[in-house]
Amino acid sequence: MFQRFIKRPWVTFVAKTLAYFLIMLFLIYLYGYSGVTGGHFIYNEF
């Protein structure tokens, strides 16, 4: 029964969309956490 539910086209579409959305949120979070001026660039001291 569960395998029949997963093989429906709309279920796979929703699952993939949710997965991509979570990946995008995670990448945006990582970018916001580091920030453009977040840390020192390694070669600034030379």
Side-chain angles (χ1 to χ4, degrees):
M1 181 176 155
F2 185 69
Q3 290 178 350
R4 282 192 335 205
F5 180 73
I6 289 180
K7 290 186 179 182
R8 293 182 181 176
W10 67 272
V11 174
T12 56
F13 174 76
V14 170
K16 286 181 182 180
T17 304
L18 185 62
Y20 289 133
F21 180 71
L22 290 175
I23 290 170
M24 289 299 291
L25 278 180
F26 181 69
L27 291 174
I28 290 170
Y29 170 75
L30 284 179
Y31 178 75
Y33 180 73
S34 66
V36 176
T37 61
H40 295 290
F41 189 61
I42 191 170
Y43 295 113
N44 280 351
E45 303 298 325
F46 291 122

